[in-house]
Amino acid sequence: MERICNIVRNGTSHAVFVMAGPGIGKTSLTEAILERLSGELNILQIHGSSALATVPFGVLTPYTGELSAEESVSPVAVLRSMWTYFEKLKGGRGAPVLLVVDDAHHLDDSSAGVLADLISAGWATVVAAARPRPGLPQPLDQLWYDGLAERVDLRPLNREQIEEVLDHVLDGTVPAATVDSVWIASGGNPRILDALLHDAAESGVLAKRNGIWMLLGPLPADGGQLTAVVTKDHIRRAPEEQEALKLIALAGPVGRKVIEDISGAAVVRSLLDQQMITESSGVPAELSIWNALFATAIRNTLSVSRSLQLLEKIRVHQNGTVLRGEGKLRSVEWAFECGLRVSDPEMLDAAREALRRFRNVSARSIAAKIQDPALVPLARAIQARALYNEGAYGQAAHLLDACWRQLSEDAEGPAVLLLRAAAHQAAGQSLNALAEGLNTQQPVDGEQKRQDWLLQVLHLLQLGAAVDAGALTAEVGEIRNTASEEAGSEAVRALGEALLAHALAAAGRAGQGLDSALLAASELPALEDSLFFFTEFVLGRLVIDYLAMGEWESAERELDNYAAGHARGAATFNGSLEVLRGYSLLRQGRMERAYQVLLPAVESLRLNDPLQLFRFGSSLGFYAAARLGDAAQAKRLEEDFTDAVAGGPAHELLASAYGAAASEYLSRDGKGLATLHTLATTHDATSRAGTLLEILSICWDLGDPSVIPMVQSVAQAIEGRYAQAMLALATGWEAADRDALMDTASSLEESGFVNLAREAYARASTLLEQAGERRRSRQAVALREKCDHELGERFREGRFIAAAPAVHLTRREQDIVGLAVQGLTDREIAQRLMVSVRTVEGHLYRTYVKLGVRSRDELESALPK
């Protein structure tokens, strides 16, 4: 806005064209410009109108009232009349005239020609707002091509801008998941964004939980503000455009030819030009409303009788077209809205499509209407998965109990059984109880093989929960050797390989585990539309393997790739995957960033915990909060961790370890450290070398050097870069060789283990200080602080590994040293900072003492990089 105001004030151009799509904010911008310049200029307003677009000089009528009928169609007479009006408006004050034109794309060519002449003659400055399509009338457009006008293009808000808006509007933390949902739903359109935020807050969908702004459900499409936006947009449109938009909103995606046959090709082109609808690139081309919530809001404004009329009109022109995907789903939903009957097979297809799109309410409501006994079991399973997506695990388990056996011979049998097991576990029931229930049911003739197969699936899950790498290796080896092509075999292979991958990582064989995880991932294409969440199940194990190996970037890449390709499932799985992201950051020592990720992740899991990570996530959040000194949040997260049901047995040992460490950071009474020592001696820990090494590293980070020999012993037998880095640090630490430790620290830093390099520098600085090498000790401190800076740490002082004294320079000392390093003399520094030479000399002397140097030549090498 300031840029446009300055152009108008300075007269650098007599025309500014503001171009933006509908709702992007061009009208609001012109109104703000009017308000800002109202006291400086003589302002006139013109509003373009589709109703006057074919009337020559129609919008200029208020300024040509004194012309005769013959003169009113003469460009020269109209221009002269405008000049006279401007002179009267100025009234001798001499202030220039500013003509503000809204919806300039609706101007007729004659009016646009007069405005172009006004601009060229310098009689007035024009600020015109228009849509890029169809764009400005040719006379105005030509001015821009000739360099006589400035053009400002307003674009939809990008994600970063949406985040800035939410941070400004909402008091509290706005997690990435909330930002993403609002950004996608609004399409970056400021008008829609404002309406959505108002409606979501008023309905309680957008709520503040423990300082975190969470979305407790889908963003509402029936709120008052969004309805008002849609209504206002409709009123301003021609009847034929309103009709076309209603048809597309009700049927979309719908074939372009169908709408052209009903409303005309010109109307479709106009709506495309206005960017109110979008066209698919497939064959045949299909049309959709530009924004899904906008489309829903349009549908909400229609009565059932009117909707039924439009449905009959669409069906006549579709001529038996076979609908697929979202178009098929929308046709079934529309039929229900009108009270029409739909066949059970059609409903089943539509329910599955809704489930694929994570439209859980629609999936449940459609599947619940199915009556065919042969289809009811699968319909119930679909309802159960939708309920699972919504976090209603008990209800999902109840439905699955009623249908899983009927589906045991179905291709979806393994997926349904796995979903049932997950639902019961999430609701608090053990796998053992499920297995016992299956064993007590005597199979009927011909079902023994299927019964054995179902027991195998449950047995795999039990071994996975026990993290039994040996038994899983044998079981999965047998599955690999049995090249079965039976329906459901892909599910068993993916399940077995994923569980084995996690167990191998825990056992210290993460390289082999990664091979298993990749084998599991190779089965995913065949399981893409399964009722079980195989993609997320495998992804979690793949990320765990990468983290066990110390491959931080690979783990982040997998999480980012999933987020980019599975936005629809964000409401269900985002919390779980953000816990894994936070865990990755925590393992890297990026504690503050991990904390920022884990806090909203725990709040998300409170609503929906499909991978059963709430206890693990709350333990990580508790640990990060306690370590960073946020006692209030730590106490709250401690309650979450303590009260949480141990939903994911595979993570329980680590959850207990991080919880004990967090308690030690809070109380410093030795009890948490004692608990860690006890955990390290349990069979579960000693049989899982990878997990044991992580527990020992937690003890070490608490300031317990007694575990270092054990770290050396355990790390030698573990695969991956992380174990080798820990071994290098422990070996250097024990050897207490100052030079070797500095080399080790440098190597660790270069390899990406910045947190371990930090500890090596800290240890080296202590040893160097004890040896009287003060200058080198300060260099080590500076390098340690460089690592802290890279990690984002601010709270590293205290009982950490060899915590060495930090170098604290005052602001004045920093300024003087910075100039000294640049080569300025004491006098030049004094003149630059406007202080005395003696002051400079005094500050430099104190800095030399702090840094352990004796001259300017040694300053630069002793400073933090």
Side-chain angles (χ1 to χ4, degrees):
M1 183 181 77
E2 286 301 325
R3 175 190 168 196
I4 297 173
C5 289
N6 288 334
I7 291 173
V8 172
R9 288 191 185 103
N10 300 333
T12 53
S13 177
H14 285 293
V16 180
F17 301 147
V18 179
M19 311 299 291
I24 300 300
K26 57 185 180 298
T27 299
S28 298
L29 178 61
T30 56
E31 289 174 352
I33 292 170
L34 281 172
E35 184 178 348
R36 180 67 61 86
L37 298 177
S38 59
E40 305 175 37
L41 305 172
N42 292 300
I43 297 177
L44 295 176
Q45 283 184 271
I46 293 176
H47 293 280
S49 167
S50 58
L52 295 174
T54 58
V55 180
F57 308 112
V59 297
L60 301 181
T61 301
Y63 315 110
T64 59
E66 298 180 1
L67 297 179
S68 64
E70 294 78 9
E71 292 174 324
S72 64
V73 294
S74 166
V76 174
V78 171
L79 189 62
R80 195 178 295 127
S81 178
M82 294 287 291
W83 165 257
T84 303
Y85 190 94
F86 291 167
E87 289 302 303
K88 289 180 181 178
L89 183 66
K90 292 178 183 179
R93 289 196 310 152
V97 173
L98 173 64
L99 193 60
V100 178
V101 186
D102 195 17
D103 287 340
H105 50 279
H106 286 314
L107 290 177
D108 63 277
D109 285 343
S110 299
S111 297
V114 169
L115 294 183
D117 290 338
L118 289 173
I119 294 167
S120 300
W123 291 355
T125 297
V126 173
V127 173
R131 293 179 181 176
R133 294 192 300 177
L136 291 163
Q138 194 277 332
L140 294 178
D141 217 16
Q142 189 62 46
L143 291 178
W144 179 63
Y145 282 113
D146 293 341
L148 300 177
E150 296 279 348
R151 173 170 170 153
V152 176
D153 287 282
L154 303 182
R155 304 191 185 282
L157 301 177
N158 59 32
R159 189 194 179 283
E160 289 72 24
Q161 291 167 327
I162 292 284
E163 188 170 17
E164 289 178 17
V165 170
L166 295 181
D167 285 340
H168 177 73
V169 172
L170 303 176
D171 177 27
T173 300
V174 185
T178 301
V179 176
D180 289 337
S181 296
V182 172
W183 177 45
I184 293 169
S186 67
N189 186 296
R191 181 174 56 170
I192 302 294
L193 173 64
D194 181 65
L196 277 181
L197 290 179
H198 181 277
D199 291 343
E202 190 173 71
S203 65
V205 169
L206 180 62
K208 193 175 183 181
R209 298 287 182 88
N210 295 312
I212 312 290
W213 284 97
M214 306 296 298
L215 286 174
L216 307 183
L219 286 162
D222 56 353
Q225 291 282 349
L226 186 59
T227 300
V229 168
V230 171
T231 302
K232 182 178 179 181
D233 180 86
H234 257 51
I235 290 173
R236 299 173 64 182
R237 296 189 177 281
E240 57 272 18
E241 287 188 352
Q242 293 184 30
E243 184 86 347
L245 285 173
K246 290 172 184 175
L247 288 168
I248 298 169
L250 287 164
V254 59
R256 176 171 179 166
K257 186 177 185 305
V258 172
I259 303 301
E260 286 181 337
D261 289 345
I262 298 172
S263 302
V267 171
V268 171
R269 283 196 301 271
S270 174
L271 291 174
L272 285 169
D273 285 341
Q274 297 172 54
Q275 299 176 328
M276 287 303 299
I277 59 175
T278 60
E279 182 178 16
S280 71
S281 57
V283 179
E286 293 183 322
L287 303 176
S288 301
I289 300 294
W290 71 276
N291 178 280
L293 279 179
F294 202 90
T296 304
I298 291 175
R299 295 197 291 268
N300 290 340
T301 64
L302 299 173
S303 66
V304 173
S305 59
R306 180 64 178 136
S307 181
L308 183 57
Q309 291 175 350
L310 295 173
L311 175 59
E312 293 302 325
K313 186 179 292 189
I314 283 282
R315 285 185 170 179
V316 168
H317 289 272
Q318 282 180 329
N319 294 323
T321 301
V322 178
L323 300 175
R324 294 181 176 85
E326 189 175 3
K328 176 66 174 177
L329 169 59
R330 183 60 213 137
S331 72
V332 171
E333 290 175 331
W334 192 4
F336 287 154
E337 291 163 8
C338 295
L340 301 179
R341 291 181 59 84
V342 179
S343 71
D344 283 358
E346 285 182 298
M347 287 193 285
L348 190 67
D349 289 344
R352 294 211 67 154
E353 184 64 33
L355 197 58
R356 290 187 195 102
R357 299 175 179 277
F358 284 85
R359 284 164 55 175
N360 300 309
V361 174
S362 186
R364 286 194 288 109
S365 62
I366 295 173
K369 298 178 186 297
I370 294 174
Q371 300 295 321
D372 185 341
L375 301 180
V376 164
L378 188 53
R380 285 178 176 168
I382 290 171
Q383 292 178 70
R385 175 57 198 275
L387 286 165
Y388 194 93
N389 289 345
E390 296 171 326
Y393 304 120
Q395 296 178 56
H398 178 72
L399 276 175
L400 290 164
D401 287 344
C403 70
W404 75 271
R405 183 165 286 281
Q406 295 97 309
L407 294 169
S408 62
E409 297 290 337
D410 190 272
E412 284 284 9
V416 172
L417 181 63
L418 287 170
L419 185 62
R420 177 174 179 252
H424 277 284
Q425 279 188 286
Q429 187 177 359
S430 71
L431 284 171
N432 291 337
L434 285 175
E436 289 171 6
L438 185 59
N439 276 318
T440 58
Q441 297 188 29
Q442 188 67 31
V444 299
D445 292 341
E447 281 193 4
Q448 184 62 53
K449 183 178 179 181
R450 179 62 63 173
Q451 178 91 340
D452 293 342
W453 177 79
L454 293 172
L455 284 169
Q456 181 188 33
V457 170
L458 280 176
H459 183 53
L460 283 171
L461 289 173
Q462 289 173 308
L463 294 177
V467 201
D468 190 336
L472 275 169
T473 298
E475 194 79 22
V476 173
E478 187 176 334
I479 293 172
R480 290 174 183 170
N481 293 330
T482 306
S484 173
E485 297 301 325
E486 287 186 33
S489 59
E490 303 95 340
V492 176
R493 290 195 293 268
L495 172 69
E497 297 289 359
L499 292 173
L500 177 59
H502 192 174
L504 288 171
R509 295 150 59 191
Q512 299 172 55
L514 181 60
D515 292 339
S516 286
L518 294 175
L519 282 173
S522 70
E523 302 287 351
L524 293 179
L527 301 168
E528 186 175 355
D529 293 328
S530 172
L531 289 176
F532 185 71
F533 39 92
F534 285 102
T535 299
E536 294 76 17
F537 188 84
V538 171
L539 174 66
R541 275 69 186 174
L542 181 59
V543 169
I544 290 294
D545 272 288
Y546 276 129
L547 295 182
M549 295 179 69
E551 302 288 350
W552 320 128
E553 291 182 0
S554 297
E556 289 288 326
R557 184 188 66 243
E558 294 296 337
L559 290 169
D560 289 342
N561 288 344
Y562 175 86
H566 298 79
R568 293 171 182 164
T572 299
F573 291 101
N574 184 74
S576 302
L577 301 181
E578 285 298 286
V579 162
L580 293 176
R581 193 184 299 277
Y583 180 43
S584 170
L585 292 165
L586 188 149
R587 291 288 301 271
Q588 297 172 57
R590 303 182 185 279
M591 206 59 56
E592 292 189 40
R593 181 72 186 114
Y595 189 37
Q596 294 167 2
V597 171
L598 287 168
L599 273 183
V602 170
E603 291 305 315
S604 292
L605 293 184
R606 210 183 297 280
L607 301 172
N608 201 336
D609 185 18
L611 300 184
Q612 301 167 51
L613 291 177
F614 180 74
R615 181 170 161 84
F616 182 55
S618 59
S619 76
L620 298 179
F622 176 27
Y623 176 81
R627 183 162 169 170
L628 294 174
D630 190 345
Q633 285 281 29
K635 289 290 187 183
R636 182 180 65 78
L637 288 163
E638 181 180 21
E639 292 179 8
D640 287 335
F641 165 66
T642 304
D643 296 342
V645 176
H651 298 288
E652 182 54 30
L653 186 57
L654 281 177
S656 298
Y658 280 106
S663 297
E664 182 65 26
Y665 278 115
L666 279 185
S667 62
R668 293 297 186 181
D669 58 5
K671 293 180 180 179
L673 193 56
T675 301
L676 283 167
H677 278 271
T678 301
L679 286 173
T681 61
T682 61
H683 173 72
D684 283 347
T686 56
S687 62
R688 306 175 200 169
T691 302
L692 177 58
L693 181 62
E694 190 169 348
I695 294 173
L696 295 174
S697 72
I698 295 171
C699 293
W700 193 359
D701 216 23
L702 272 164
D704 177 14
S706 70
V707 301
I708 296 175
M710 198 171 177
V711 168
Q712 284 182 275
S713 174
V714 173
Q716 289 177 2
I718 295 177
E719 299 174 357
R721 295 171 63 247
Y722 174 74
Q724 295 307 305
M726 287 294 292
L727 178 60
L729 176 61
T731 301
W733 193 287
E734 286 286 275
D737 184 320
R738 302 183 295 276
D739 295 330
L741 263 172
M742 289 295 286
D743 290 341
T744 297
S746 177
S747 176
L748 289 170
E749 186 178 7
E750 187 176 332
S751 299
F753 297 100
V754 180
N755 56 328
L756 302 186
R758 187 263 178 207
E759 308 306 347
Y761 283 128
R763 171 72 164 161
S765 70
T766 299
L767 294 172
L768 289 165
E769 184 77 19
Q770 292 170 353
E773 298 186 59
R774 296 186 63 197
R775 183 180 67 81
R776 291 188 66 203
S777 174
R778 296 303 177 183
Q779 288 177 335
V781 170
L783 291 168
R784 188 206 73 188
E785 291 186 333
K786 174 174 172 281
C787 290
D788 280 347
H789 179 73
E790 184 175 343
L791 295 170
E793 291 280 31
R794 293 179 295 151
F795 304 101
R796 286 304 301 255
E797 301 309 320
R799 282 181 59 197
F800 291 94
I801 304 173
V807 176
H808 295 293
L809 300 183
T810 67
R811 182 54 186 247
R812 178 62 78 187
E813 287 169 348
Q814 292 175 33
D815 293 340
I816 290 173
V817 169
L819 294 172
V821 167
Q822 294 176 31
L824 276 67
T825 65
D826 291 356
R827 184 170 298 281
E828 289 171 336
I829 294 172
Q831 291 174 347
R832 178 77 64 86
L833 299 177
M834 293 182 290
V835 296
S836 69
V837 175
R838 180 168 295 182
T839 297
V840 173
E841 291 171 345
H843 280 302
L844 280 175
Y845 174 76
R846 285 189 290 276
T847 301
Y848 292 166
V849 173
K850 289 182 178 181
L851 296 175
V853 300
R854 291 168 293 181
S855 68
R856 285 174 181 253
D857 295 337
E858 299 174 353
L859 264 181
E860 185 172 4
S861 63
L863 288 173
K865 301 299 181 186

